[in-house]
């Protein structure tokens, strides 16, 4: 069945960088827009960034603009989130999401990102 697996999380100093990966299987990857969301303790899950099926269009939350870059490699069924200039408020579990139009959403298990100040 459909699986999304996030990797690349960890502990990083404020001002540092981290790159997250999301490997998808069991779906026609090129038919799905890919998104990144995050959830901090005691808070609701929030949108971070997304990329269209072809990779020609990207979207960012205001908190991510200028610091984060979303990309994808359709040949490898993988989406990426490059995070630079990290802040303590970026600390959260980061989730990968796959969506085809208004159809079902698929989610990964998440990867922990902790930014120390």
């Amino acid at each position: 069945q459909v699986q999304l697996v996030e990797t690349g999380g960890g502990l990083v100093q404020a001002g540092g960088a981290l790159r997250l990966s999301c490997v998808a299987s069991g779906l026609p990857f090129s038919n799905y827009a890919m998104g990144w969301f995050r959830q901090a303790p005691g808070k609701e899950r929030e949108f971070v960034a997304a990329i269209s099926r072809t990779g020609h269009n990207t979207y960012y939350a205001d908190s991510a603009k200028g610091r984060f870059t979303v990309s994808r490699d359709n040949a490898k069924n993988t989406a990426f989130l490059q995070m630079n200039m990290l802040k303590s408020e970026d600390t959260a579990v980061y989730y990968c999401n796959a969506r085809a139009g208004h159809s079902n959403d698929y989610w990964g298990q998440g990867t922990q990102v902790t930014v120390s100040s």
Side-chain angles (χ1 to χ4, degrees):
Q1 267 286 7
V2 174
Q3 285 191 325
L4 305 176
V5 180
E6 303 97 333
T7 58
L11 176 65
V12 65
Q13 295 277 320
L18 215 55
R19 188 168 93 147
L20 307 183
S21 298
C22 173
V23 179
S25 61
L27 57 77
F29 186 72
S30 296
N31 290 347
Y32 285 79
M34 300 297 296
W36 290 94
F37 295 73
R38 68 187 183 188
Q39 187 167 21
K43 297 185 177 180
E44 295 188 350
R45 191 170 300 185
E46 66 175 354
F47 170 78
V48 177
I51 187 167
S52 63
R53 292 174 295 171
T54 63
H56 291 164
N57 299 98
T58 56
Y59 311 88
Y60 297 95
D62 287 343
S63 60
K65 290 179 181 177
R67 300 188 301 126
F68 294 2
T69 302
V70 62
S71 61
R72 67 190 296 161
D73 185 342
N74 285 356
K76 297 181 178 179
N77 286 6
T78 304
F80 304 94
L81 183 67
Q82 178 68 47
M83 304 186 293
N84 299 325
M85 302 170 61
L86 284 162
K87 307 173 181 179
S88 60
E89 49 262 49
D90 294 318
T91 296
V93 177
Y94 284 70
Y95 297 91
C96 177
N97 169 267
R99 172 179 290 184
H102 298 287
S103 66
N104 289 344
D105 286 75
Y106 298 100
W107 295 90
Q109 296 300 306
T111 184
Q112 176 71 48
V113 172
T114 303
V115 184
S116 62
S117 59

